[in-house]
Amino acid sequence: MVNLEQTRFNMVEQQIRTWNVLDQNILDLLYQIKREEFVPAAYRFMAFTDMEIPLEHDAVMLTPKMEARILQELHINKTDKILEVGTGTGYMTALLSRLGAHIYSVEIVPELHTMARINLQTHDIGNVTLEQGDAARGWIKHGPYDVIVLTASTPVLPEMFQQSLAPGGRLFAIVGEEPVMEATLITCTSPGNYTSTRLFETCTAPLRNALQREQFHF
């Protein structure tokens, strides 16, 4: 019999804390929101492993340490209005919902949109607006946002995202192409002014319809 709580403890202590995620609020959250309840049934045995979990249509669920690190880097406040691009199963959405004021989460894949809606309803999470659509190039509908998080990579980061940040707003994106991508944090320091910080190298699946680099033909 697998001891779920011991396995969860091991995930937090061995994978997440050792990757410099030390914000106690975020670590506590990982015990409160049960990750395995958001993982597709066929992959539930992988819920606590340091691996991406395959989802419908080539999407993936990020590793637990990546999810936690993203939350820590964004320094989310209780008053923040958040845009999440790529709802997936709704797990990251659920974590964000405990940290910010309201989450607008957009998913292009109908099956994932439905799965996330059921998962969030099951966990009685109400401060989330789920929308089905293509936000790979931006989603200005509810902007400006205090926080924007892209849960998949993009070869080129569309300017629409940083333009949708409120002053003081933060944007997390994984930018680039295989084999090396940069996890990047962009902050709107004042209207029209931004700073960009490269956090670490990583690699993950791209957003569907992500903006591509221009190809030069000779």
Side-chain angles (χ1 to χ4, degrees):
M1 180 68 185
V2 175
N3 182 332
L4 276 182
E5 293 315 311
Q6 182 62 48
T7 312
R8 193 185 325 279
F9 175 84
N10 293 346
M11 173 189 77
V12 171
E13 293 302 317
Q14 295 167 13
Q15 294 173 40
I16 293 169
R17 193 187 286 277
T18 57
W19 211 42
N20 288 329
V21 180
L22 305 173
D23 183 322
Q24 197 57 49
N25 288 336
I26 290 167
L27 297 177
D28 290 346
L29 200 51
L30 302 175
Y31 290 102
Q32 294 161 19
I33 307 242
K34 310 296 187 191
R35 192 174 198 267
E36 70 277 11
E37 294 172 6
F38 288 84
V39 172
Y43 294 101
R44 205 148 283 174
F45 68 97
M46 290 174 62
F48 304 111
T49 58
D50 186 18
M51 296 171 67
E52 293 185 338
I53 293 174
L55 302 175
E56 305 259 357
H57 301 281
D58 299 324
V60 298
M61 196 169 174
L62 295 169
T63 63
K65 69 183 183 188
M66 178 70 84
E67 292 162 338
R69 183 73 178 269
I70 291 170
L71 295 177
Q72 179 170 273
E73 296 290 354
L74 286 169
H75 296 287
I76 297 166
N77 301 307
K78 284 287 184 197
T79 53
D80 283 346
K81 179 165 68 167
I82 302 172
L83 171 67
E84 179 188 35
V85 178
T87 316
T89 68
Y91 176 64
M92 189 71 161
T93 323
L95 296 173
L96 290 165
S97 77
R98 292 289 181 91
L99 297 170
H102 196 90
I103 322 303
Y104 295 93
S105 187
V106 188
E107 175 56 60
I108 193 171
V109 177
E111 295 91 337
L112 290 176
H113 172 76
T114 300
M115 181 193 294
R117 191 178 72 240
I118 293 167
N119 284 340
L120 293 165
Q121 284 173 350
T122 302
H123 290 79
D124 202 24
I125 293 169
N127 60 329
V128 172
T129 301
L130 294 181
E131 298 185 281
Q132 192 187 324
D134 182 358
R137 311 289 176 96
W139 195 261
I140 60 174
K141 192 170 172 183
H142 307 288
Y145 306 97
D146 302 300
V147 170
I148 299 175
V149 55
L150 278 58
T151 64
S153 65
T154 182
V156 178
L157 184 64
E159 284 190 9
M160 183 60 71
F161 284 116
Q162 64 185 43
Q163 290 168 4
S164 299
L165 286 175
R170 289 87 63 211
L171 160 65
F172 177 90
I174 296 170
V175 184
E177 296 167 280
E178 290 187 331
V180 176
M181 305 174 187
E182 292 274 2
T184 305
L185 184 72
I186 293 171
T187 303
C188 177
T189 52
S190 61
N193 294 304
Y194 308 91
T195 60
S196 179
T197 306
R198 291 181 172 183
L199 301 171
F200 50 86
E201 290 185 352
T202 187
C203 201
T204 192
L207 290 165
R208 200 201 284 192
N209 301 336
L211 185 61
Q212 303 294 318
R213 289 184 193 283
E214 288 186 22
Q215 299 295 326
F216 293 98
H217 299 285
F218 295 99

